[in-house]
């Protein structure tokens, strides 16, 4: 039997790795029929072979790709906007406009496009929930963070606006803001430079993707009148975006 008939549907973007993949796994374990969406289809196919649900190829920068996702999901209880990321750590004096454009597209426009496309499906569920993975960078600035912090602050503004505009409708909006989580995030930021990427997490115990998935699972399993507005989650060894305690 098609499990989407009896289970609430959860769409997870960026589900091919990291926080997205961990969230897909966790929500499947929580009883959701997961629609795992991302660009890397081979990884999605392997994931749904394990956890069930459906794989959908998605590039959040492409409106047609987002429309195809929406067409495949007529009813959606939970949308986890996880697709996003950072490129570079250059000061604004040396900003790479292409990096900035990419960060705006995946973090801001991508969140807008997917949310807008799935709003009818979220409403159709009678109890929809939008969870957006933002970042400590959505609320703090740090040196070299320019393009990413600007995009993530914009994502925060988008979510605050959305919560106002959806007031009175059966849709919750939750923003999840992780600090250091060891995923492919830094590898993408530093263009595949593994040494530089792993140095970000050196000498401290970062969060793992499952820690963030745990927060998401908690937020979406509260009674439906309870809206968790925002979850800030960091490793114990991290106080702010830039203050961390590393082993000597
Ligand atoms: C990732 C966290 O501190 O690199 O969203 O901006 S940080």
């Amino acid at each position: 039997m098609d499990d989407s008939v009896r289970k609430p549907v959860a769409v997870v973007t960026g589900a091919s790795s990291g926080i997205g993949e961990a969230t897909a796994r966790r929500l499947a374990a929580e009883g959701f029929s997961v629609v795992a969406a991302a660009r890397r289809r081979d990884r999605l196919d392997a994931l749904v072979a394990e956890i069930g649900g459906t794989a959908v190829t998605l590039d959040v920068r492409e409106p047609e790709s987002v429309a195809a996702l929406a067409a495949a999901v007529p009813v959606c209880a939970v949308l986890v906007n996880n697709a996003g990321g950072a490129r570079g750590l250059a000061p604004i004096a040396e900003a790479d406009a292409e990096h900035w454009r990419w960060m705006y597209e995946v973090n801001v426009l991508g969140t807008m496009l997917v949310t807008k496309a799935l709003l009818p499906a979220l409403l159709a569920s009678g109890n929809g929930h939008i969870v957006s993975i933002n970042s400590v960078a959505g609320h703090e600035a740090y040196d070299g963070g320019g393009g990413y912090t600007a995009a993530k602050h914009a994502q925060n503004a988008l979510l605050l606006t959305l919560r106002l505009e959806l007031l009175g409708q059966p849709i919750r909006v939750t923003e999840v803001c992780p600090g250091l989580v060891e995923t492919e995030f830094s590898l993408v930021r530093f263009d595949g430079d593994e040494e530089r990427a792993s140095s970000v997490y050196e000498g401290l115990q970062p969060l793992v993707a499952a820690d963030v998935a745990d927060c998401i699972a908690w937020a979406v399993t509260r009674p439906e009148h309870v809206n968790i507005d925002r979850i800030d989650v960091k490793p114990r060894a991290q106080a702010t975006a830039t203050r961390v305690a590393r082993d000597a």
Side-chain angles (χ1 to χ4, degrees):
M1 180 177 162
D2 176 1
D3 63 5
S4 64
V5 175
R6 52 198 163 82
K7 293 180 176 179
V9 169
V11 172
V12 182
T13 70
S16 56
S17 66
I19 293 171
E21 181 189 343
T23 302
R25 288 181 187 282
R26 179 62 187 272
L27 293 185
E30 295 283 343
F32 288 88
S33 173
V34 172
V35 176
R39 282 173 302 166
R40 292 177 290 186
R41 183 56 187 258
D42 50 335
R43 291 192 181 207
L44 296 180
D45 287 338
L47 178 64
V48 301
E50 257 187 75
I51 67 169
T54 313
V56 174
T57 308
L58 172 72
D59 185 340
V60 300
R61 293 172 301 174
E62 299 296 339
E64 307 76 38
S65 175
V66 174
L69 168 70
V73 186
V75 180
C76 174
V78 172
L79 165 62
V80 182
N81 282 313
N82 165 71
R87 284 271 164 92
L89 196 62
I92 291 170
E94 292 156 27
D96 179 328
E98 272 316 307
H99 282 171
W100 278 59
R101 203 164 281 122
W102 183 87
M103 289 188 274
Y104 261 76
E105 282 200 0
V106 297
N107 295 292
V108 187
L109 292 171
T111 299
M112 178 277 286
L113 285 174
V114 174
T115 302
K116 179 181 169 188
L118 285 176
L119 269 179
L122 287 155
L123 273 173
S125 78
N127 178 28
H129 197 153
I130 298 161
V131 180
S132 261
I133 310 308
N134 197 347
S135 168
V136 63
H139 300 274
E140 286 184 50
Y142 56 86
D143 292 80
Y148 186 60
T149 56
K152 286 302 198 184
H153 277 67
Q155 192 181 320
N156 166 253
L158 185 161
L159 297 172
L160 293 175
T161 308
L162 194 58
R163 195 178 293 115
L164 289 168
E165 293 174 353
L166 292 176
L167 191 63
Q169 310 216 47
I171 300 185
R172 293 181 278 176
V173 180
T174 298
E175 178 183 12
V176 179
C177 300
L180 291 167
V181 190
E182 191 159 16
T183 62
E184 290 177 3
F185 174 85
S186 292
L187 205 57
V188 172
R189 166 170 260 178
F190 299 128
D191 207 19
D193 183 336
E194 288 183 16
E195 211 175 307
R196 198 170 173 201
S198 60
S199 73
V200 173
Y201 311 107
E202 242 163 49
L204 59 79
Q205 185 176 353
L207 299 178
V208 294
D211 295 323
V212 183
D214 191 38
C215 295
I216 296 164
W218 177 74
V220 302
T221 53
R222 294 312 86 211
E224 65 183 59
H225 67 288
V226 178
N227 192 97
I228 305 301
D229 285 10
R230 175 174 147 188
I231 298 175
D232 291 329
V233 54
K234 297 201 277 300
R236 187 178 60 189
Q238 180 177 26
T240 71
T242 50
R243 289 288 306 274
V244 296
R246 294 187 200 271
D247 300 336

